[in-house]
Amino acid sequence: MTTELIKTALTEALHPELLEILDNSAAHAGHAGARSGGGHYHITIVADAFEGKSLVQRHQLVYKVLGDLMKQQIHALGINALSPSEQN
């Protein structure tokens, strides 16, 4: 399942304090991305790796970790990436 692949990749690469993955694929049934096999996901991740990084840099880091999954398994990805100091 793609959510497990996302979880494994992000956990191994970023060692997050918190990782939540929502699979919104069912809400997009019939959408072009759903027909091609890519799912719709939203992640909330809290990790030291995001400390001092801009929003763009954080997203780039997540995309780099999920690179191969972004080609077919993931059609859309919402990202809420925080450093531990921002989690409050």
Side-chain angles (χ1 to χ4, degrees):
M1 175 176 251
T2 303
T3 54
E4 286 302 315
L5 294 172
I6 293 170
K7 181 180 179 180
T8 299
L10 290 173
T11 299
E12 289 177 0
L14 301 176
H15 310 287
E17 291 182 14
L18 173 77
L19 177 59
E20 296 175 348
I21 304 168
L22 298 175
D23 183 349
N24 297 318
S25 300
H28 298 275
H31 179 270
R35 286 192 297 272
S36 68
H40 292 238
Y41 302 92
H42 187 276
I43 64 168
T44 297
I45 183 169
V46 178
D48 287 328
F50 301 129
E51 194 70 53
K53 290 191 171 36
S54 70
L55 180 64
V56 171
Q57 290 171 321
R58 294 171 188 205
H59 286 210
Q60 288 172 334
L61 185 55
V62 170
Y63 288 134
K64 182 177 179 181
V65 171
L66 299 178
D68 289 338
L69 294 173
M70 296 299 297
K71 294 176 184 173
Q72 290 190 335
Q73 288 96 332
I74 301 172
H75 173 71
L77 181 65
I79 302 170
N80 185 22
L82 304 168
S83 67
S85 64
E86 297 170 319
Q87 186 179 9
N88 303 334

PDB file of all heavy atoms in Angstrom, residues 47-76:
ATOM      1  N   ALA A  47      10.088  17.199  11.894  1.00  0.00           N
ATOM      2  CA  ALA A  47      11.427  16.622  11.913  1.00  0.00           C
ATOM      3  C   ALA A  47      12.487  17.706  12.078  1.00  0.00           C
ATOM      4  O   ALA A  47      12.319  18.830  11.593  1.00  0.00           O
ATOM      5  CB  ALA A  47      11.684  15.836  10.627  1.00  0.00           C
ATOM      6  N   ASP A  48      13.571  17.333  12.739  1.00  0.00           N
ATOM      7  CA  ASP A  48      14.700  18.254  12.899  1.00  0.00           C
ATOM      8  C   ASP A  48      15.257  18.707  11.556  1.00  0.00           C
ATOM      9  O   ASP A  48      15.807  19.808  11.453  1.00  0.00           O
ATOM     10  CB  ASP A  48      15.828  17.582  13.697  1.00  0.00           C
ATOM     11  CG  ASP A  48      15.502  17.436  15.178  1.00  0.00           C
ATOM     12  OD1 ASP A  48      14.784  18.297  15.714  1.00  0.00           O
ATOM     13  OD2 ASP A  48      15.980  16.463  15.796  1.00  0.00           O
ATOM     14  N   ALA A  49      15.121  17.889  10.541  1.00  0.00           N
ATOM     15  CA  ALA A  49      15.665  18.197   9.213  1.00  0.00           C
ATOM     16  C   ALA A  49      15.089  19.482   8.627  1.00  0.00           C
ATOM     17  O   ALA A  49      15.686  20.076   7.727  1.00  0.00           O
ATOM     18  CB  ALA A  49      15.402  17.032   8.263  1.00  0.00           C
ATOM     19  N   PHE A  50      13.937  19.943   9.126  1.00  0.00           N
ATOM     20  CA  PHE A  50      13.295  21.138   8.587  1.00  0.00           C
ATOM     21  C   PHE A  50      13.721  22.422   9.303  1.00  0.00           C
ATOM     22  O   PHE A  50      13.382  23.518   8.866  1.00  0.00           O
ATOM     23  CB  PHE A  50      11.769  21.002   8.656  1.00  0.00           C
ATOM     24  CG  PHE A  50      11.252  19.817   7.884  1.00  0.00           C
ATOM     25  CD1 PHE A  50      10.388  18.926   8.483  1.00  0.00           C
ATOM     26  CD2 PHE A  50      11.623  19.587   6.579  1.00  0.00           C
ATOM     27  CE1 PHE A  50       9.899  17.827   7.790  1.00  0.00           C
ATOM     28  CE2 PHE A  50      11.159  18.492   5.872  1.00  0.00           C
ATOM     29  CZ  PHE A  50      10.285  17.613   6.482  1.00  0.00           C
ATOM     30  N   GLU A  51      14.462  22.287  10.384  1.00  0.00           N
ATOM     31  CA  GLU A  51      14.893  23.457  11.157  1.00  0.00           C
ATOM     32  C   GLU A  51      15.728  24.395  10.279  1.00  0.00           C
ATOM     33  O   GLU A  51      16.671  23.966   9.615  1.00  0.00           O
ATOM     34  CB  GLU A  51      15.719  23.010  12.366  1.00  0.00           C
ATOM     35  CG  GLU A  51      15.930  24.087  13.401  1.00  0.00           C
ATOM     36  CD  GLU A  51      14.655  24.442  14.146  1.00  0.00           C
ATOM     37  OE1 GLU A  51      13.993  23.535  14.678  1.00  0.00           O
ATOM     38  OE2 GLU A  51      14.320  25.644  14.166  1.00  0.00           O
ATOM     39  N   GLY A  52      15.332  25.661  10.233  1.00  0.00           N
ATOM     40  CA  GLY A  52      16.071  26.667   9.482  1.00  0.00           C
ATOM     41  C   GLY A  52      15.863  26.628   7.982  1.00  0.00           C
ATOM     42  O   GLY A  52      16.496  27.393   7.256  1.00  0.00           O
ATOM     43  N   LYS A  53      14.968  25.778   7.509  1.00  0.00           N
ATOM     44  CA  LYS A  53      14.715  25.675   6.070  1.00  0.00           C
ATOM     45  C   LYS A  53      13.425  26.419   5.704  1.00  0.00           C
ATOM     46  O   LYS A  53      12.481  26.473   6.485  1.00  0.00           O
ATOM     47  CB  LYS A  53      14.616  24.213   5.651  1.00  0.00           C
ATOM     48  CG  LYS A  53      15.939  23.480   5.721  1.00  0.00           C
ATOM     49  CD  LYS A  53      15.841  22.127   5.057  1.00  0.00           C
ATOM     50  CE  LYS A  53      17.147  21.408   4.897  1.00  0.00           C
ATOM     51  NZ  LYS A  53      18.132  21.550   5.928  1.00  0.00           N
ATOM     52  N   SER A  54      13.417  26.963   4.509  1.00  0.00           N
ATOM     53  CA  SER A  54      12.224  27.642   4.015  1.00  0.00           C
ATOM     54  C   SER A  54      11.163  26.608   3.646  1.00  0.00           C
ATOM     55  O   SER A  54      11.453  25.402   3.541  1.00  0.00           O
ATOM     56  CB  SER A  54      12.566  28.476   2.775  1.00  0.00           C
ATOM     57  OG  SER A  54      12.848  27.622   1.676  1.00  0.00           O
ATOM     58  N   LEU A  55       9.951  27.066   3.413  1.00  0.00           N
ATOM     59  CA  LEU A  55       8.864  26.183   3.003  1.00  0.00           C
ATOM     60  C   LEU A  55       9.226  25.433   1.726  1.00  0.00           C
ATOM     61  O   LEU A  55       9.022  24.218   1.622  1.00  0.00           O
ATOM     62  CB  LEU A  55       7.578  26.991   2.799  1.00  0.00           C
ATOM     63  CG  LEU A  55       6.348  26.212   2.360  1.00  0.00           C
ATOM     64  CD1 LEU A  55       5.925  25.215   3.425  1.00  0.00           C
ATOM     65  CD2 LEU A  55       5.206  27.175   2.049  1.00  0.00           C
ATOM     66  N   VAL A  56       9.795  26.136   0.771  1.00  0.00           N
ATOM     67  CA  VAL A  56      10.186  25.507  -0.503  1.00  0.00           C
ATOM     68  C   VAL A  56      11.249  24.434  -0.270  1.00  0.00           C
ATOM     69  O   VAL A  56      11.162  23.330  -0.812  1.00  0.00           O
ATOM     70  CB  VAL A  56      10.683  26.566  -1.512  1.00  0.00           C
ATOM     71  CG1 VAL A  56      11.297  25.907  -2.738  1.00  0.00           C
ATOM     72  CG2 VAL A  56       9.543  27.479  -1.934  1.00  0.00           C
ATOM     73  N   GLN A  57      12.235  24.735   0.558  1.00  0.00           N
ATOM     74  CA  GLN A  57      13.291  23.758   0.841  1.00  0.00           C
ATOM     75  C   GLN A  57      12.733  22.521   1.546  1.00  0.00           C
ATOM     76  O   GLN A  57      13.161  21.403   1.278  1.00  0.00           O
ATOM     77  CB  GLN A  57      14.383  24.395   1.710  1.00  0.00           C
ATOM     78  CG  GLN A  57      15.196  25.431   0.970  1.00  0.00           C
ATOM     79  CD  GLN A  57      16.125  26.191   1.908  1.00  0.00           C
ATOM     80  OE1 GLN A  57      15.762  26.522   3.039  1.00  0.00           O
ATOM     81  NE2 GLN A  57      17.325  26.490   1.422  1.00  0.00           N
ATOM     82  N   ARG A  58      11.773  22.719   2.419  1.00  0.00           N
ATOM     83  CA  ARG A  58      11.146  21.595   3.114  1.00  0.00           C
ATOM     84  C   ARG A  58      10.400  20.697   2.132  1.00  0.00           C
ATOM     85  O   ARG A  58      10.513  19.474   2.181  1.00  0.00           O
ATOM     86  CB  ARG A  58      10.188  22.105   4.197  1.00  0.00           C
ATOM     87  CG  ARG A  58      10.899  22.830   5.315  1.00  0.00           C
ATOM     88  CD  ARG A  58       9.929  23.495   6.244  1.00  0.00           C
ATOM     89  NE  ARG A  58      10.652  24.336   7.203  1.00  0.00           N
ATOM     90  CZ  ARG A  58      10.188  24.657   8.385  1.00  0.00           C
ATOM     91  NH1 ARG A  58       9.001  24.238   8.782  1.00  0.00           N
ATOM     92  NH2 ARG A  58      10.898  25.414   9.191  1.00  0.00           N
ATOM     93  N   HIS A  59       9.631  21.313   1.250  1.00  0.00           N
ATOM     94  CA  HIS A  59       8.894  20.545   0.256  1.00  0.00           C
ATOM     95  C   HIS A  59       9.853  19.818  -0.683  1.00  0.00           C
ATOM     96  O   HIS A  59       9.622  18.654  -1.037  1.00  0.00           O
ATOM     97  CB  HIS A  59       7.940  21.452  -0.523  1.00  0.00           C
ATOM     98  CG  HIS A  59       6.741  21.843   0.276  1.00  0.00           C
ATOM     99  ND1 HIS A  59       5.525  22.101  -0.299  1.00  0.00           N
ATOM    100  CD2 HIS A  59       6.559  22.023   1.612  1.00  0.00           C
ATOM    101  CE1 HIS A  59       4.648  22.418   0.636  1.00  0.00           C
ATOM    102  NE2 HIS A  59       5.265  22.382   1.802  1.00  0.00           N
ATOM    103  N   GLN A  60      10.915  20.488  -1.087  1.00  0.00           N
ATOM    104  CA  GLN A  60      11.910  19.847  -1.955  1.00  0.00           C
ATOM    105  C   GLN A  60      12.517  18.621  -1.279  1.00  0.00           C
ATOM    106  O   GLN A  60      12.741  17.600  -1.932  1.00  0.00           O
ATOM    107  CB  GLN A  60      13.013  20.841  -2.327  1.00  0.00           C
ATOM    108  CG  GLN A  60      12.569  21.892  -3.302  1.00  0.00           C
ATOM    109  CD  GLN A  60      13.614  22.983  -3.517  1.00  0.00           C
ATOM    110  OE1 GLN A  60      14.452  23.259  -2.651  1.00  0.00           O
ATOM    111  NE2 GLN A  60      13.553  23.619  -4.682  1.00  0.00           N
ATOM    112  N   LEU A  61      12.773  18.719   0.005  1.00  0.00           N
ATOM    113  CA  LEU A  61      13.336  17.598   0.753  1.00  0.00           C
ATOM    114  C   LEU A  61      12.368  16.412   0.763  1.00  0.00           C
ATOM    115  O   LEU A  61      12.769  15.272   0.517  1.00  0.00           O
ATOM    116  CB  LEU A  61      13.670  18.044   2.179  1.00  0.00           C
ATOM    117  CG  LEU A  61      14.376  17.056   3.086  1.00  0.00           C
ATOM    118  CD1 LEU A  61      15.666  16.529   2.466  1.00  0.00           C
ATOM    119  CD2 LEU A  61      14.668  17.696   4.431  1.00  0.00           C
ATOM    120  N   VAL A  62      11.097  16.682   1.013  1.00  0.00           N
ATOM    121  CA  VAL A  62      10.094  15.610   1.011  1.00  0.00           C
ATOM    122  C   VAL A  62       9.986  14.999  -0.387  1.00  0.00           C
ATOM    123  O   VAL A  62       9.966  13.774  -0.548  1.00  0.00           O
ATOM    124  CB  VAL A  62       8.721  16.126   1.495  1.00  0.00           C
ATOM    125  CG1 VAL A  62       7.627  15.089   1.264  1.00  0.00           C
ATOM    126  CG2 VAL A  62       8.799  16.508   2.971  1.00  0.00           C
ATOM    127  N   TYR A  63       9.920  15.837  -1.427  1.00  0.00           N
ATOM    128  CA  TYR A  63       9.830  15.328  -2.798  1.00  0.00           C
ATOM    129  C   TYR A  63      11.051  14.485  -3.164  1.00  0.00           C
ATOM    130  O   TYR A  63      10.925  13.482  -3.865  1.00  0.00           O
ATOM    131  CB  TYR A  63       9.672  16.475  -3.807  1.00  0.00           C
ATOM    132  CG  TYR A  63       8.320  17.137  -3.772  1.00  0.00           C
ATOM    133  CD1 TYR A  63       8.204  18.517  -3.769  1.00  0.00           C
ATOM    134  CD2 TYR A  63       7.145  16.387  -3.760  1.00  0.00           C
ATOM    135  CE1 TYR A  63       6.964  19.136  -3.745  1.00  0.00           C
ATOM    136  CE2 TYR A  63       5.904  17.000  -3.731  1.00  0.00           C
ATOM    137  CZ  TYR A  63       5.823  18.378  -3.722  1.00  0.00           C
ATOM    138  OH  TYR A  63       4.595  18.979  -3.703  1.00  0.00           O
ATOM    139  N   LYS A  64      12.212  14.893  -2.694  1.00  0.00           N
ATOM    140  CA  LYS A  64      13.426  14.126  -2.983  1.00  0.00           C
ATOM    141  C   LYS A  64      13.339  12.739  -2.352  1.00  0.00           C
ATOM    142  O   LYS A  64      13.665  11.733  -2.990  1.00  0.00           O
ATOM    143  CB  LYS A  64      14.658  14.870  -2.457  1.00  0.00           C
ATOM    144  CG  LYS A  64      15.955  14.169  -2.756  1.00  0.00           C
ATOM    145  CD  LYS A  64      17.148  14.977  -2.270  1.00  0.00           C
ATOM    146  CE  LYS A  64      18.441  14.236  -2.569  1.00  0.00           C
ATOM    147  NZ  LYS A  64      19.604  14.973  -2.089  1.00  0.00           N
ATOM    148  N   VAL A  65      12.880  12.674  -1.103  1.00  0.00           N
ATOM    149  CA  VAL A  65      12.742  11.386  -0.418  1.00  0.00           C
ATOM    150  C   VAL A  65      11.721  10.501  -1.126  1.00  0.00           C
ATOM    151  O   VAL A  65      11.917   9.293  -1.262  1.00  0.00           O
ATOM    152  CB  VAL A  65      12.345  11.599   1.062  1.00  0.00           C
ATOM    153  CG1 VAL A  65      11.986  10.280   1.727  1.00  0.00           C
ATOM    154  CG2 VAL A  65      13.474  12.299   1.821  1.00  0.00           C
ATOM    155  N   LEU A  66      10.634  11.093  -1.597  1.00  0.00           N
ATOM    156  CA  LEU A  66       9.546  10.323  -2.223  1.00  0.00           C
ATOM    157  C   LEU A  66       9.681  10.253  -3.740  1.00  0.00           C
ATOM    158  O   LEU A  66       8.757   9.802  -4.412  1.00  0.00           O
ATOM    159  CB  LEU A  66       8.193  10.947  -1.857  1.00  0.00           C
ATOM    160  CG  LEU A  66       7.860  10.976  -0.371  1.00  0.00           C
ATOM    161  CD1 LEU A  66       6.515  11.655  -0.150  1.00  0.00           C
ATOM    162  CD2 LEU A  66       7.868   9.575   0.224  1.00  0.00           C
ATOM    163  N   GLY A  67      10.818  10.648  -4.275  1.00  0.00           N
ATOM    164  CA  GLY A  67      11.036  10.761  -5.712  1.00  0.00           C
ATOM    165  C   GLY A  67      10.412   9.694  -6.581  1.00  0.00           C
ATOM    166  O   GLY A  67       9.610   9.993  -7.464  1.00  0.00           O
ATOM    167  N   ASP A  68      10.745   8.433  -6.359  1.00  0.00           N
ATOM    168  CA  ASP A  68      10.227   7.360  -7.217  1.00  0.00           C
ATOM    169  C   ASP A  68       8.727   7.179  -7.056  1.00  0.00           C
ATOM    170  O   ASP A  68       8.027   6.866  -8.025  1.00  0.00           O
ATOM    171  CB  ASP A  68      10.953   6.042  -6.937  1.00  0.00           C
ATOM    172  CG  ASP A  68      12.394   6.060  -7.442  1.00  0.00           C
ATOM    173  OD1 ASP A  68      12.697   6.868  -8.340  1.00  0.00           O
ATOM    174  OD2 ASP A  68      13.199   5.262  -6.934  1.00  0.00           O
ATOM    175  N   LEU A  69       8.207   7.389  -5.861  1.00  0.00           N
ATOM    176  CA  LEU A  69       6.766   7.249  -5.635  1.00  0.00           C
ATOM    177  C   LEU A  69       5.980   8.343  -6.353  1.00  0.00           C
ATOM    178  O   LEU A  69       4.838   8.131  -6.748  1.00  0.00           O
ATOM    179  CB  LEU A  69       6.447   7.297  -4.136  1.00  0.00           C
ATOM    180  CG  LEU A  69       6.978   6.150  -3.287  1.00  0.00           C
ATOM    181  CD1 LEU A  69       6.728   6.412  -1.806  1.00  0.00           C
ATOM    182  CD2 LEU A  69       6.338   4.840  -3.709  1.00  0.00           C
ATOM    183  N   MET A  70       6.600   9.521  -6.516  1.00  0.00           N
ATOM    184  CA  MET A  70       5.927  10.641  -7.167  1.00  0.00           C
ATOM    185  C   MET A  70       5.680  10.379  -8.655  1.00  0.00           C
ATOM    186  O   MET A  70       4.860  11.040  -9.270  1.00  0.00           O
ATOM    187  CB  MET A  70       6.743  11.929  -7.004  1.00  0.00           C
ATOM    188  CG  MET A  70       6.900  12.423  -5.584  1.00  0.00           C
ATOM    189  SD  MET A  70       5.354  12.824  -4.744  1.00  0.00           S
ATOM    190  CE  MET A  70       4.744  14.157  -5.763  1.00  0.00           C
ATOM    191  N   LYS A  71       6.367   9.411  -9.213  1.00  0.00           N
ATOM    192  CA  LYS A  71       6.240   9.139 -10.643  1.00  0.00           C
ATOM    193  C   LYS A  71       4.959   8.394 -10.983  1.00  0.00           C
ATOM    194  O   LYS A  71       4.389   8.615 -12.054  1.00  0.00           O
ATOM    195  CB  LYS A  71       7.446   8.346 -11.131  1.00  0.00           C
ATOM    196  CG  LYS A  71       8.727   9.146 -11.046  1.00  0.00           C
ATOM    197  CD  LYS A  71       9.928   8.338 -11.440  1.00  0.00           C
ATOM    198  CE  LYS A  71      11.197   9.159 -11.254  1.00  0.00           C
ATOM    199  NZ  LYS A  71      12.396   8.371 -11.472  1.00  0.00           N
ATOM    200  N   GLN A  72       4.477   7.506 -10.093  1.00  0.00           N
ATOM    201  CA  GLN A  72       3.281   6.740 -10.409  1.00  0.00           C
ATOM    202  C   GLN A  72       2.313   6.567  -9.246  1.00  0.00           C
ATOM    203  O   GLN A  72       1.118   6.696  -9.418  1.00  0.00           O
ATOM    204  CB  GLN A  72       3.651   5.354 -10.946  1.00  0.00           C
ATOM    205  CG  GLN A  72       4.267   5.410 -12.319  1.00  0.00           C
ATOM    206  CD  GLN A  72       4.406   4.037 -12.927  1.00  0.00           C
ATOM    207  OE1 GLN A  72       4.485   3.044 -12.227  1.00  0.00           O
ATOM    208  NE2 GLN A  72       4.434   3.984 -14.237  1.00  0.00           N
ATOM    209  N   GLN A  73       2.812   6.281  -8.061  1.00  0.00           N
ATOM    210  CA  GLN A  73       1.927   5.984  -6.941  1.00  0.00           C
ATOM    211  C   GLN A  73       1.260   7.227  -6.343  1.00  0.00           C
ATOM    212  O   GLN A  73       0.194   7.142  -5.764  1.00  0.00           O
ATOM    213  CB  GLN A  73       2.679   5.237  -5.820  1.00  0.00           C
ATOM    214  CG  GLN A  73       3.004   3.812  -6.169  1.00  0.00           C
ATOM    215  CD  GLN A  73       4.425   3.677  -6.727  1.00  0.00           C
ATOM    216  OE1 GLN A  73       4.972   4.606  -7.320  1.00  0.00           O
ATOM    217  NE2 GLN A  73       5.012   2.520  -6.547  1.00  0.00           N
ATOM    218  N   ILE A  74       1.921   8.381  -6.453  1.00  0.00           N
ATOM    219  CA  ILE A  74       1.386   9.622  -5.873  1.00  0.00           C
ATOM    220  C   ILE A  74       1.071  10.599  -6.995  1.00  0.00           C
ATOM    221  O   ILE A  74       1.951  11.015  -7.739  1.00  0.00           O
ATOM    222  CB  ILE A  74       2.392  10.257  -4.892  1.00  0.00           C
ATOM    223  CG1 ILE A  74       2.720   9.287  -3.756  1.00  0.00           C
ATOM    224  CG2 ILE A  74       1.832  11.568  -4.340  1.00  0.00           C
ATOM    225  CD1 ILE A  74       3.847   9.762  -2.853  1.00  0.00           C
ATOM    226  N   HIS A  75      -0.204  10.976  -7.086  1.00  0.00           N
ATOM    227  CA  HIS A  75      -0.619  11.964  -8.083  1.00  0.00           C
ATOM    228  C   HIS A  75      -0.615  13.370  -7.469  1.00  0.00           C
ATOM    229  O   HIS A  75      -0.215  14.341  -8.107  1.00  0.00           O
ATOM    230  CB  HIS A  75      -2.014  11.643  -8.614  1.00  0.00           C
ATOM    231  CG  HIS A  75      -2.568  12.700  -9.510  1.00  0.00           C
ATOM    232  ND1 HIS A  75      -2.088  12.924 -10.779  1.00  0.00           N
ATOM    233  CD2 HIS A  75      -3.532  13.626  -9.310  1.00  0.00           C
ATOM    234  CE1 HIS A  75      -2.755  13.931 -11.326  1.00  0.00           C
ATOM    235  NE2 HIS A  75      -3.631  14.378 -10.457  1.00  0.00           N
ATOM    236  N   ALA A  76      -1.083  13.464  -6.214  1.00  0.00           N
ATOM    237  CA  ALA A  76      -1.147  14.763  -5.530  1.00  0.00           C
ATOM    238  C   ALA A  76      -0.681  14.572  -4.092  1.00  0.00           C
ATOM    239  O   ALA A  76      -1.022  13.589  -3.451  1.00  0.00           O
ATOM    240  CB  ALA A  76      -2.566  15.300  -5.559  1.00  0.00           C
TER     241      ALA A  76
END
